Amino acid sequence: MTWLASLESRTPPMAALAVSIVAVSTSAILVRFSDAPSIVKALYRVVFTTLLLAPVAVSRYRDELRALSARDALVAVVTGVALAAHFATWFESLEWTTVAASVTLVQSQPLFVAVGAAVLLDEAINRRMVGGILVAIAGIVFMSLGGLLSGAALAGARPLYGDALALVGAVMAAGYVLAGRSLRQRVALVPYVTVVYTVCAVVLFAVALVEVGGGGTAATVEALTEYPPEEWLLFVGMALGPGIFGHTVINWALKYVESSVVSVTLLGEPVGSTLLALVLLGEVPDLFTVAGGAVVLAGIYVTATGRPSDA
């Protein structure tokens, strides 16, 4: 795998992060095109991502997989559960509260990452980085302001329950980033993400059985498998874009970039999704979204340029 090592050595981590944010930004567009239930979309996105990586892990990283310590393997398993919990709780929150409230709350994850990075990983976070994180989160709030002003805090079937689920999703996302930052210092990328994605897929499968089941075995199988070819192409697209070039590249970058910087960079996803929606779907963003997006990008810039290594 010398070619891979050469590629890694020549790839600037921040440039890789930029590519990953563009990739994960396609997720909202692909999800919009799909008519499958949300949990099914999440399940097959992770399943196909795992299927793409597993042959490489088994054929070329067998020794690294065997060399995983029990502690590192356990942390990777817990990380997979956290990733699945992030998907499940966030998607479920959208059923009970508004999109504006849910997105704003789930995107608060950099705050949890910043605290966890300082306490658990002993990462240096200076005032400029803290300021950048707060600016970026303020931008996310501003992007959602139109929905929030329309009464999002009180809308939905069970808004407090939905808001709580979104916060749980934020905490789970933060745990996923923090664990990745820790393990990637000593575990190779492909073995690490293969374990994490496999566990995540198993958990999401169990959740999907609960959500779409209830009508007997035949009905459950149909609910999980009876989709037209275009839906399966969308599932594969979710795996290739947001999965391989998105989350997997993010996990690669976590070896080289502080978790707080990676987490705040992830706030660029709604901005990228908005731009893609404008180009591909003709959805013109409102003034709050445009202004908030600019604030998010400014916050990301301030945080990234405030890294201790750049000081």
Side-chain angles (χ1 to χ4, degrees):
M1 298 296 288
T2 55
W3 64 271
L4 182 57
S6 175
L7 178 63
E8 288 189 32
S9 66
R10 291 185 286 107
T11 302
M14 295 306 296
L17 270 179
V19 170
S20 70
I21 297 309
V22 173
V24 296
S25 296
T26 65
S27 179
I29 307 301
L30 295 170
V31 166
R32 178 69 65 85
F33 285 148
S34 174
D35 293 323
S38 294
I39 189 62
V40 173
K41 298 172 191 176
L43 170 63
Y44 283 121
R45 165 179 160 172
V46 179
V47 165
F48 282 116
T49 302
T50 306
L51 291 177
L52 289 169
L53 289 169
V56 179
V58 172
S59 64
R60 303 196 177 188
Y61 289 91
R62 191 174 305 169
D63 292 340
E64 286 87 344
L65 283 169
R66 291 173 177 170
L68 272 177
S69 68
R71 178 181 177 277
D72 286 348
L74 177 60
V75 173
V77 168
V78 173
T79 304
V81 174
L83 181 58
H86 164 69
F87 283 130
T89 54
W90 183 28
F91 287 163
E92 182 67 13
S93 78
L94 293 169
E95 301 294 327
W96 302 101
T97 189
T98 60
V99 172
S102 178
V103 169
T104 299
L105 290 168
V106 81
Q107 295 290 6
S108 66
Q109 51 88 13
L111 294 176
F112 299 107
V113 171
V115 173
V119 174
L120 302 175
L121 304 180
D122 198 27
E123 284 187 2
I125 301 178
N126 55 41
R127 292 183 179 179
R128 181 181 174 89
M129 294 174 69
V130 171
I133 291 171
L134 294 177
V135 168
I137 292 177
I140 289 294
V141 173
F142 206 78
M143 287 183 72
S144 304
L145 199 55
L148 294 172
L149 290 177
S150 68
L154 299 176
R158 294 174 61 187
L160 293 180
Y161 175 64
D163 294 347
L165 286 174
L167 273 177
V168 172
V171 173
M172 293 298 102
Y176 169 65
V177 172
L178 290 168
R181 173 63 173 169
S182 176
L183 286 187
R184 281 287 291 123
Q185 305 309 304
R186 55 187 180 275
V187 179
L189 174 66
V190 175
Y192 169 68
V193 295
T194 300
V195 173
V196 171
Y197 295 163
T198 300
V199 173
C200 180
V202 171
V203 175
L204 288 176
F205 178 68
V207 174
L209 286 178
V210 173
E211 290 200 11
V212 306
T217 302
T220 301
V221 171
E222 180 179 354
L224 289 176
T225 61
E226 292 297 320
Y227 295 101
E230 54 267 28
E231 286 287 347
W232 292 105
L233 288 176
L234 287 171
F235 297 154
V236 173
M238 294 175 198
L240 286 172
I244 298 295
F245 291 100
H247 273 260
T248 302
V249 174
I250 288 168
N251 278 299
W252 174 81
L254 277 169
K255 180 177 181 179
Y256 309 99
V257 181
E258 297 87 348
S259 57
S260 54
V261 176
V262 172
S263 67
V264 78
T265 303
L266 290 173
L267 298 186
E269 179 183 350
V271 180
S273 296
T274 299
L275 293 174
L276 289 175
L278 173 63
V279 174
L280 299 177
L281 303 177
E283 295 185 358
V284 180
D286 59 25
L287 181 60
F288 289 117
T289 302
V290 174
V295 174
V296 169
L297 294 178
I300 293 173
Y301 174 79
V302 170
T303 305
T305 56
R307 298 171 61 200
S309 58
D310 295 335

